[in-house]
Amino acid sequence: MLLWAAVAVLVSLGFFLAMEFAERHYGGGPIIGHPGVRIPELIFTPEAWPLMYVSMALMTVVFTWRQRFIAAGVAVGIDVVLVLVRLLFDARTTLGTGPLWVMLACTVMAFTHRAGRERALLLKGVGLGMLLIVARKTGNIWLLITATTRPTVLDEYLAAADRALGNPSWLAGRLVEATGPVGSNVLHWVYSQLTVAAVAVAFYQLRHVAKERSFPRHHLVRTFLVIGLLGPAIYMIFPVVGPVFAFGPQGGQWAVANLWPDVLPSVSAPQHLLFNDVTPRNCMPSLHTAWATAIFIHSRQASRVLRYAGTFWLVATLGATLGFGFHYGVDIVAGVVFTLTIEAALRAQAYGWSRSGVQVVAYGATIFAALLASYRYLPTEMAKHPGVFGPLILLASASVIYGYVRTTPKLRDPKTAPSPHLAAQPQPEMV
């Protein structure tokens, strides 16, 4: 147990150092330090304090309700004290340090006051919470790397390929403008609070961990992390900035023209576009769509409220990604296929590989690769023959959905059964 813990610590430390080096090399600020001061966020205010509380909440799936209230009270108390101290020194007075201290304290307690399965369970809980923080930091670094290492973008290729689907981004952009500030604000809120929705579904899936002292074989967090790990690799292969940047007002002097969402661009001969080194190339595939699809899938066997919320989040996320000009329609299709392939692979890994499982994963990966290849090498033909390529794109994605539904067991809140001797042990209190 101690050997594996030491290996995990060394790997994590190496990962953080590599990310720190990459962040500094490409012109960003330090990961583990406060910008300009280089002192850890355990003292200075974190950049995204709501994420810290959400991460701590995810960690507490291994706690009893009494322990959760204690952890929340301690975190809030620490933040209140530190806010008062920062006011004395005229410093920035945001929150978020308290949850980090609580997670650090739980890590120390796991090694000093727990043993065996209970130590492993507590460390898994802490790791689950810290993964959200690490994933956000890593995602920001990847976006910076895509912007600085990919000087040209392939937006004209996707704009041409999008003709096969009827240019949904241009249509959705006009619809969002027609709804006025109310519709725009709702979509902005949904788009920016994706993590909150994911944690709500994940917390529901993991609600029995504290009682059964074991984690399910598969849950939403696993899918989220794999999507976040693999997605940026596709960004590097297929760099795209999105309609609002390449053909809209947010592109500034780098935009082809200020056309989105009122005028369709003419892309009879797609070319690589030189773009700035600030805007992330994070369109292909649409990871917002991928994550929203994962939330939808994992909410199917949740409570009725979460099922409705999962459906709403998927529909609203699609509206936001297209309506704000962040993605093309072909990005959305690729994002759905990307998610279903990953989800099928993770479920097969958790419950055992079968012939049908291998087939659906291989088929999904093939369709995803075929979509990317067609967007890159057949965009002109797709634009000229939308009546042929549009249905082909939709049928290809629908076939992946059909294969996933047919070969994947219904989501049913799967759990790893605890051992009998462990179930008989009383749950220790964490104070």
Side-chain angles (χ1 to χ4, degrees):
M1 180 68 189
L2 290 177
L3 177 61
W4 280 112
V7 171
V9 169
L10 290 176
V11 172
S12 300
L13 180 60
F15 175 79
F16 269 112
L17 290 177
M19 291 297 99
E20 181 82 6
F21 175 79
E23 178 87 348
R24 294 173 186 269
H25 177 73
Y26 290 109
I31 302 174
I32 59 175
H34 186 73
V37 184
R38 310 298 167 88
I39 297 179
E41 290 181 344
L42 288 172
I43 300 175
F44 285 87
T45 53
E47 296 178 3
W49 67 266
L51 180 67
M52 304 302 173
Y53 276 93
V54 170
S55 299
M56 187 189 71
L58 194 57
M59 177 194 71
T60 62
V61 295
V62 302
F63 291 178
T64 63
W65 278 107
R66 178 176 178 270
Q67 294 165 354
R68 290 168 186 166
F69 285 123
I70 292 174
V74 171
V76 172
I78 291 172
D79 268 342
V80 169
V81 172
L82 290 179
V83 164
L84 295 176
V85 172
R86 288 163 182 157
L87 285 174
L88 293 177
F89 291 94
D90 196 25
R92 193 160 58 102
T93 56
T94 58
L95 308 174
T97 307
L100 283 176
W101 285 20
V102 169
M103 285 190 280
L104 177 61
C106 290
T107 305
V108 175
M109 188 170 294
F111 287 102
T112 58
H113 291 75
R114 298 289 182 269
R117 290 178 178 269
E118 289 299 325
R119 175 184 290 172
L121 187 68
L122 182 53
L123 288 176
K124 284 182 180 179
V126 175
L128 202 63
M130 291 300 297
L131 279 174
L132 283 182
I133 301 174
V134 174
R136 183 181 186 276
K137 296 284 188 181
T138 306
N140 290 340
I141 297 170
W142 267 116
L143 295 182
L144 176 63
I145 292 174
T146 63
T148 53
T149 63
R150 294 295 180 268
T152 60
V153 296
L154 303 176
D155 280 77
E156 285 198 348
Y157 291 85
L158 290 194
D162 220 31
R163 295 287 181 93
L165 297 178
N167 301 99
S169 181
W170 270 257
L171 175 61
R174 291 193 289 269
L175 289 176
V176 170
E177 285 186 349
T179 61
V182 175
S184 178
N185 290 336
V186 170
L187 292 180
H188 266 298
W189 182 80
V190 170
Y191 192 83
S192 62
Q193 299 300 323
L194 188 68
T195 304
V196 176
V199 169
V201 175
F203 203 93
Y204 181 88
Q205 288 183 318
L206 303 175
R207 67 192 183 281
H208 296 303
V209 171
K211 179 181 179 180
E212 300 182 358
R213 316 310 293 166
S214 62
F215 276 83
R217 297 178 190 175
H218 179 53
H219 48 82
L220 177 61
V221 179
R222 300 175 78 233
T223 307
F224 248 65
L225 291 175
V226 175
I227 289 174
L229 286 173
L230 297 182
I234 312 301
Y235 292 164
M236 300 293 288
I237 299 172
F238 212 115
V240 183
V241 292
V244 75
F245 294 100
F247 303 101
Q250 294 190 31
Q253 63 179 356
W254 299 94
V256 175
N258 190 359
L259 304 175
W260 186 89
D262 300 314
V263 180
L264 293 177
S266 176
V267 284
S268 56
Q271 300 179 17
H272 288 65
L273 299 177
L274 185 66
F275 216 77
N276 62 38
D277 59 355
V278 177
T279 306
R281 280 62 163 153
N282 61 338
C283 281
M284 176 56 72
S286 169
L287 292 197
H288 257 79
T289 299
W291 283 317
T293 302
I295 291 173
F296 174 80
I297 293 172
H298 283 265
S299 66
R300 290 309 85 199
Q301 294 300 314
S303 65
R304 179 178 297 181
V305 173
L306 283 181
R307 290 200 304 271
Y308 290 157
T311 304
F312 167 76
W313 226 271
L314 176 60
V315 174
T317 299
L318 294 178
T321 55
L322 292 173
F324 294 144
F326 297 149
H327 290 279
Y328 302 90
V330 289
D331 301 343
I332 306 300
V333 175
V336 173
V337 174
F338 184 68
T339 302
L340 293 178
T341 304
I342 290 173
E343 178 68 18
L346 290 176
R347 289 184 63 81
Q349 181 271 330
Y351 298 108
W353 287 92
S354 62
R355 181 178 179 180
S356 60
V358 173
Q359 287 175 343
V360 72
V361 172
Y363 182 72
T366 302
I367 293 297
F368 181 74
L371 288 175
L372 263 62
S374 63
Y375 299 160
R376 174 63 179 83
Y377 298 106
L378 299 173
T380 305
E381 288 74 11
M382 296 174 75
K384 291 180 179 178
H385 307 285
V388 175
F389 285 95
L392 280 177
I393 293 173
L394 297 179
L395 284 174
S397 60
S399 66
V400 176
I401 296 173
Y402 177 77
Y404 173 82
V405 173
R406 283 293 303 270
T407 59
T408 304
K410 294 180 65 177
L411 228 73
R412 59 187 181 281
D413 222 7
K415 304 174 183 64
T416 303
S419 59
H421 72 276
L422 181 60
Q425 294 178 356
Q427 297 179 19
E429 292 290 328
M430 179 177 294
V431 296

